[in-house]
Amino acid sequence: MKQKLIAGNWKMNGGLAANEALLHEVQQGLAHALASKHAQVAVCVPAVYLSQVQRLVLGSGIDLGAQDVSAHEHGAYTGEISAAMLKDFAVRYAIVGHSERRQYHAETDAHVALKVQRALSTGVTPIVCVGETLAEREAGMTEVVVKRQLAAVIRANGHCISEIVVAYEPVWAIGTGQTASPEQAQAVHAVLRAQLKSSTVHADHVHILYGGSMNAANAVELLSQPDIDGGLIGGAALKAADFLAIIAVAAR
Ligand code: 13P
């Protein structure tokens, strides 16, 4: 069975001192979970802190992640950060297509697919986020929406799709304290798994994470679903005790 992956998405939070304190506490508590090698852990941090966090997590077993990556290789794209630049800081993962970027930065399915392509070609593993809004769920469109979002990525990346991580993050569950029920989440994860299967024979190896108000209490049932391979954790990743508690559930 593949190890579960628990990735923290710090979003636009943190600071030099706060990062150091948080990671110190996480590492203190992590020795046990990681010694048993039953879970993989990553933190996706603001770009300006990649260098600091690269140093802080060195040798700890925690992988480093970014929260976005440019669709372009290099050039006149002010403010953008390329996949090669991420590689310079030993970045393993880059979140791509988070709903906050789709919503506030007008990222389209096609743009997200290009970012995934750029990350994969540079050896950075994209964590591709998909998810429906509340209005889309209420209109019975959940499956259509997540399949459309993933289809764009599959079309642009072909068989390399087996190298991605997928995160199902229902927009209505992000930061709201309202989690998808284990049944609701599993149903969508199964749809995504089937879609991956139609494009790669390695679909069972792909981690499909759940994200949206995950905490230690709801993680128990969510992470026991057959197609939920880990979590993408927002708010709870900013508190060492909460993050560690989720990791402990994943490492069981
Ligand atoms: P919350 O865990 O704060 O709901 O955020 C989830 C998320 O958006 C992770 O990418």
Side-chain angles (χ1 to χ4, degrees):
M1 213 173 79
K2 61 180 178 279
Q3 292 177 353
K4 300 250 191 282
L5 168 61
I6 300 297
N9 174 9
W10 289 2
K11 308 194 180 184
M12 199 173 74
N13 294 290
L16 288 174
N19 301 345
E20 188 149 0
L22 173 62
L23 286 170
H24 179 72
E25 208 178 329
V26 169
Q27 284 174 43
Q28 297 280 303
L30 205 57
H32 179 67
L34 289 186
S36 59
K37 286 277 173 214
H38 284 146
Q40 296 171 34
V41 178
V43 287
C44 300
V45 309
V48 289
Y49 297 127
L50 287 171
S51 171
Q52 180 205 18
V53 175
Q54 177 192 18
R55 177 176 50 79
L56 290 174
V57 300
L58 200 67
S60 70
I62 300 175
D63 286 315
L64 183 57
Q67 297 177 9
D68 187 28
V69 63
S70 176
H72 306 284
E73 198 171 350
H74 56 77
Y77 301 101
T78 302
E80 293 271 275
I81 295 171
S82 74
M85 291 171 186
L86 297 181
K87 280 299 269 189
D88 274 346
F89 293 90
V91 167
R92 175 157 181 193
Y93 298 103
I95 297 172
V96 177
H98 192 282
S99 61
E100 288 149 15
R101 293 210 60 87
R102 292 180 191 261
Q103 188 181 347
Y104 307 135
H105 300 271
E107 289 194 9
T108 62
D109 292 343
H111 195 191
V112 170
L114 284 177
K115 289 183 172 202
V116 171
Q117 214 170 21
R118 189 62 63 199
L120 284 174
S121 68
T122 315
V124 173
T125 301
I127 300 178
V128 181
C129 299
V130 300
E132 81 288 2
T133 62
L134 184 59
E136 288 164 341
R137 173 161 285 269
E138 286 174 351
M141 297 290 286
T142 299
E143 222 178 277
V144 172
V145 170
V146 298
K147 282 172 91 170
R148 188 202 71 221
Q149 291 170 330
L150 186 59
V153 173
I154 292 175
R155 243 192 331 272
N157 292 278
H159 68 273
C160 295
I161 207 71
S162 61
E163 303 299 317
I164 72 170
V165 170
V166 178
Y168 169 53
E169 298 207 316
V171 178
W172 48 271
I174 294 176
T176 59
Q178 196 188 342
T179 323
S181 69
E183 296 74 25
Q184 283 174 323
Q186 166 56 30
V188 176
H189 282 231
V191 164
L192 296 170
R193 181 87 63 203
Q195 194 178 3
L196 290 169
K197 274 192 178 145
S198 64
S199 306
T200 170
V201 292
H202 302 298
D204 285 329
H205 300 301
V206 175
H207 280 90
I208 307 181
L209 314 181
Y210 169 80
S213 300
M214 197 190 254
N215 56 40
N218 60 38
V220 176
E221 267 203 83
L222 284 164
L223 293 177
S224 65
Q225 301 301 311
D227 289 299
I228 301 186
D229 307 311
L232 186 55
I233 319 298
L238 298 172
K239 296 187 197 118
D242 294 357
F243 193 48
L244 284 165
I246 297 173
I247 294 166
V249 173
R252 277 181 193 168

